[in-house]
Amino acid sequence: MSQDSIKVALVTGAARGIGLATARRFLEEGWRVALLDIEGDLLAQAVAAIGAPEATLALHSDISDPAALEAAFAVLIGRFGRLDALVNNAGTAVFKPLLETTLEEWNRVLAVNLTGPFLATQLAAPLMADQGGGAIVNITSISGLRASTLRVAYGTSKAALGHLTKQQAAELASLGIRVNAVAPGPVETAMAAAVHSPEIRADYRDAIPLARYGLEEELASAIFFLCSDKASYITGQTLAVDGGFDAVGIGLATLRGERRNR
């Protein structure tokens, strides 16, 4: 197989966590991968640790900066010559009460979480269309499907990204491009380890039917599936990879407690 025929994926926010796990999954499947992140040093370390220089490309860029993103895409095409999949994973969050969230914080969260995927898709779609199509996966969040405290900017941005996914799917289908979203529930990431107290973790376990956090690799598998030919008739959908968290309401924790006490 020639290098020109090997598929290429671009994963944003790929220096750590779900993004890095997703990049690794594409590489395991024989794809070439461009990893984009705003944290240059961390990105360089991640790409070096992967140890596949012929199949990887590090792109140090801010997803919300149109000029920087356009320059990154030019480097990608100069190196790989094609683009088959885009994973809009880069995101940021501010966990503060609604009345304490500043306009600057609000604008930054929406710029990264919503405008970034809009800009990246604008650049990616023509490249995919030139070769007959491709796939885009936007990483939303369970916080975009159900409300919670301290997430006014984050949750709103992710809910809007879920609708943007449908808009993109409707308009890009004629170009052979499928667009879907993955909404992660609680996942075992470095961020979760840092900000989730034992009490919060216990609350999540009580509220999740599968009674555990997800793994980065489990999210990567779902993302890769939606980018693969096995998902060729799926577009405009949001897949919650959340252990059943979004599927249940109140009562699960009480029921489990009753069972434990029998």
Side-chain angles (χ1 to χ4, degrees):
M1 181 182 296
S2 69
Q3 287 291 304
D4 291 342
S5 65
I6 299 175
K7 289 186 174 182
V8 175
L10 168 61
V11 182
T12 71
R16 69 176 83 191
I18 294 169
L20 180 55
T22 300
R24 289 183 179 276
R25 179 58 189 270
F26 274 104
L27 290 167
E28 290 169 1
E29 298 289 340
W31 290 49
R32 293 176 292 172
V33 182
L35 298 86
L36 184 148
D37 206 285
I38 195 171
E39 297 192 45
D41 291 342
L42 191 63
L43 177 63
Q45 293 170 18
V47 172
I50 289 172
E54 73 290 343
T56 55
L57 172 65
L59 297 171
H60 179 207
S61 181
D62 182 347
I63 190 73
S64 68
D65 182 333
L69 192 61
E70 188 171 350
F73 267 78
V75 173
L76 184 158
I77 293 305
R79 169 73 183 279
F80 291 141
R82 62 184 291 165
L83 183 63
D84 302 273
L86 167 65
V87 180
N88 283 312
N89 171 72
T92 190
V94 173
F95 297 114
K96 294 173 67 173
L98 184 153
L99 298 181
E100 296 177 15
T101 301
T102 68
L103 178 59
E104 181 181 11
E105 290 167 337
W106 169 271
N107 286 340
R108 179 57 183 167
V109 171
L110 265 68
V112 174
N113 295 359
L114 183 60
T115 302
F118 168 78
L119 294 172
T121 299
Q122 295 284 88
L123 292 167
L127 302 176
M128 294 179 180
D130 284 345
Q131 57 193 43
I136 298 170
V137 174
N138 296 320
I139 308 305
T140 60
S141 170
I142 205 69
S143 294
L145 301 178
R146 55 191 298 179
S148 182
T149 57
L150 309 181
R151 289 169 172 80
V152 61
Y154 181 75
T156 301
S157 70
K158 292 298 189 177
L161 183 56
H163 189 74
L164 178 62
T165 298
K166 294 183 178 182
Q167 293 287 158
Q168 292 169 334
E171 295 199 32
L172 298 180
S174 62
L175 301 178
I177 299 170
R178 298 181 297 101
V179 188
N180 293 288
V182 166
V187 180
E188 292 286 6
T189 63
M191 180 182 295
V195 302
H196 287 188
S197 67
E199 292 78 12
I200 290 175
R201 294 180 69 88
D203 286 345
Y204 270 128
R205 284 194 296 271
D206 281 345
I208 297 172
L210 292 184
R212 65 174 177 86
Y213 279 43
L215 302 177
E216 295 169 351
E217 293 77 12
E218 291 174 313
L219 271 297
S221 291
I223 294 164
F224 179 78
F225 165 72
L226 289 173
C227 291
S228 74
D229 292 339
K230 292 182 178 180
S232 57
Y233 198 53
I234 302 174
T235 196
Q237 303 303 305
T238 295
L239 174 61
V241 184
D242 66 351
F245 183 54
D246 185 53
V248 300
I250 61 173
L252 179 61
T254 299
L255 178 61
R256 284 179 171 161
E258 290 174 351
R259 288 175 176 170
R260 286 195 296 266
N261 292 331
R262 286 177 183 171

